[in-house]
Amino acid sequence: MDKRVGVLGGGQLGAMLVEAANQLRIPVNVLDVGHSSAKQVSSIGTHVEGSFKDRDAIKQLAAISDVVTVEIEHVDTGILEEISGTVDVQPSWKTIRTIQDKYAQKEYLHEHGVATAKSVPLGTASVEDLEKASSILGLPLMLKSRREAYDGRGNYPVKTKEDFKHALEALGGNKSLYAEKWANFRMELAVMVVKTKDGVLSFPTTETVHENSICKLTYTPARSVSDAINRKAQDLARKAVACFQGKGVFGVEMFLLEDDTLLVNEIAPRPHNSGHYTIEACRVSQYEAHLSAILDLPLRQEDLELREPAVMLNILGGEAKDSHLQIAEAALEDRWLKVHLYGKGQARKGRKMGHITTKANPRNPTPQPNSPQSRQNPS
């Protein structure tokens, strides 16, 4: 492959993207600070030292790349707009700019006929403006940061008026907030969608199980989901991604409500935690699919089909600094489990340190999370 890919961010998503690129001998240039996860596995690319928000570092990355993509959306879209005149930025900087502001993302989806929970922006981070929002949306509601929120950070459930002050304090004085109508869901679903030059493809519908707003487990296919709901989820996810510019993999998270209504919760313009299972369980992983999309390599809908049912368990940091290693060692006792460690060093409580995937076993056709789950600190 003669095109060079530049990646803003060198975390675990970047590392798994590099691993997929290595198999195809696609050079990947990684921009991040220090000895990040992606740099540890980059064998035929170039490391660029610096923050993925630094303008000069991004220009340096663009100068040695043919296509620039992101493994995290919290980047400077101003410089992406600037470099797009000389290097191919995928997905489009316009898409990343819209998606990184979660309220703007919801408004954009609403304008394009994609169902989401009703949202109201707060003019100021004040009790008065939160009261105004609650009069429109009712209580309970979810107070959210418009930017820089992930893994439960930047969200706070507001159940009564007594929670107003605590919610504002919990979000750290963030001045850019919005309130979202409470979604009384019975299940959370996710679909990894691939936008290519020729159209929009999708991986299977996945059930995601969260604990303390952090994804803990995924089940693919989603449990107890009818064929009709599965088709609705696939159609909604593809419709949501189709309205954005650019190519690549998008993670579409959804709520399945009690009445079987589906609402888009959030979209990520990149590979996603809920798609890790694709590495072992699909013909093509979400990472190879992302490379195929941004480099215009052949990719068909049948390439994204599920080969075997799969369960993915996130390895989260616990109280002990080596808690993730203890979990990994326990998982290695069962070779039906596939262990991925991210090379992040010491664990912090709740930090994603790795994941474990198990597929259907001929002796046990329904995959179940193994004993390491019980040894994991749930928070």
Side-chain angles (χ1 to χ4, degrees), residues 69-213:
T69 190
V70 300
E71 70 120 38
I72 184 169
E73 58 268 34
H74 307 305
V75 296
D76 183 347
T77 58
I79 185 61
L80 290 185
E81 180 180 2
E82 184 178 331
I83 66 172
S84 65
T86 57
V87 67
D88 190 14
V89 177
Q90 296 295 343
S92 166
W93 60 268
K94 296 178 181 178
T95 291
I96 298 171
R97 180 175 293 174
T98 299
I99 286 179
Q100 67 183 191
D101 181 331
K102 293 190 175 183
Y103 175 72
Q105 176 190 147
K106 292 288 176 64
E107 286 293 283
Y108 185 85
L109 290 169
H110 178 71
E111 291 168 3
H112 287 80
V114 177
T116 66
K118 185 175 181 179
S119 300
V120 176
L122 269 65
T124 62
S126 64
V127 170
E128 292 75 19
D129 277 2
L130 187 49
E131 285 179 342
K132 292 177 184 177
S134 68
S135 68
I136 298 171
L137 302 175
L139 292 173
L141 59 78
M142 186 70 80
L143 184 64
K144 295 186 174 185
S145 298
R146 293 179 63 155
R147 296 176 177 274
E148 304 281 343
Y150 63 97
D151 284 348
R153 299 172 180 86
N155 297 339
Y156 196 95
V158 178
K159 298 179 180 179
T160 69
K161 291 185 177 182
E162 284 68 38
D163 293 329
F164 286 178
K165 185 177 180 181
H166 296 297
L168 293 167
E169 291 174 350
L171 296 186
N174 192 315
K175 295 180 180 179
S176 183
L177 302 173
Y178 74 102
E180 185 174 284
K181 185 177 178 62
W182 191 267
N184 190 25
F185 60 88
R186 65 180 176 90
M187 185 182 292
E188 292 183 83
L189 302 175
V191 178
M192 303 307 303
V193 176
V194 190
K195 195 162 185 285
T196 73
K197 65 180 178 62
D198 299 316
V200 182
L201 314 174
S202 57
F203 283 95
T205 304
T206 297
E207 175 189 355
T208 60
V209 179
H210 292 75
E211 196 168 87
N212 297 325
S213 297

Side-chain angles (χ1 to χ4, degrees), residues 263-334:
L263 300 176
V264 170
N265 177 27
E266 290 180 1
I267 296 180
R270 53 170 171 76
H272 193 265
N273 189 178
S274 61
H276 289 342
Y277 76 92
T278 62
I279 298 173
E280 283 81 28
C282 295
R283 297 182 185 181
V284 171
S285 75
Q286 64 166 336
Y287 302 100
E288 186 178 345
H290 186 72
L291 292 167
S292 297
I294 66 176
L295 295 174
D296 295 335
L297 301 177
L299 191 67
R300 304 164 300 175
Q301 178 58 50
E302 53 263 39
D303 298 331
L304 311 185
E305 291 177 358
L306 192 68
R307 294 189 295 187
E308 296 98 358
V311 176
M312 188 280 297
L313 168 70
N314 273 323
I315 302 176
L316 304 180
E319 297 290 350
K321 293 181 179 179
D322 66 343
S323 58
H324 58 298
L325 299 179
Q326 296 176 35
I327 296 166
E329 289 172 4
L332 290 175
E333 296 173 6
D334 184 347

Side-chain angles (χ1 to χ4, degrees), residues 233-272:
Q234 293 280 311
D235 291 344
L236 180 61
R238 287 195 293 264
K239 179 179 181 180
V241 171
C243 66
F244 288 102
Q245 298 181 38
K247 297 174 290 188
V249 164
F250 293 73
V252 183
E253 297 179 279
M254 289 176 275
F255 294 133
L256 176 61
L257 306 186
E258 295 290 347
D259 64 357
D260 288 346
T261 298
L262 284 165
L263 300 176
V264 170
N265 177 27
E266 290 180 1
I267 296 180
R270 53 170 171 76
H272 193 265

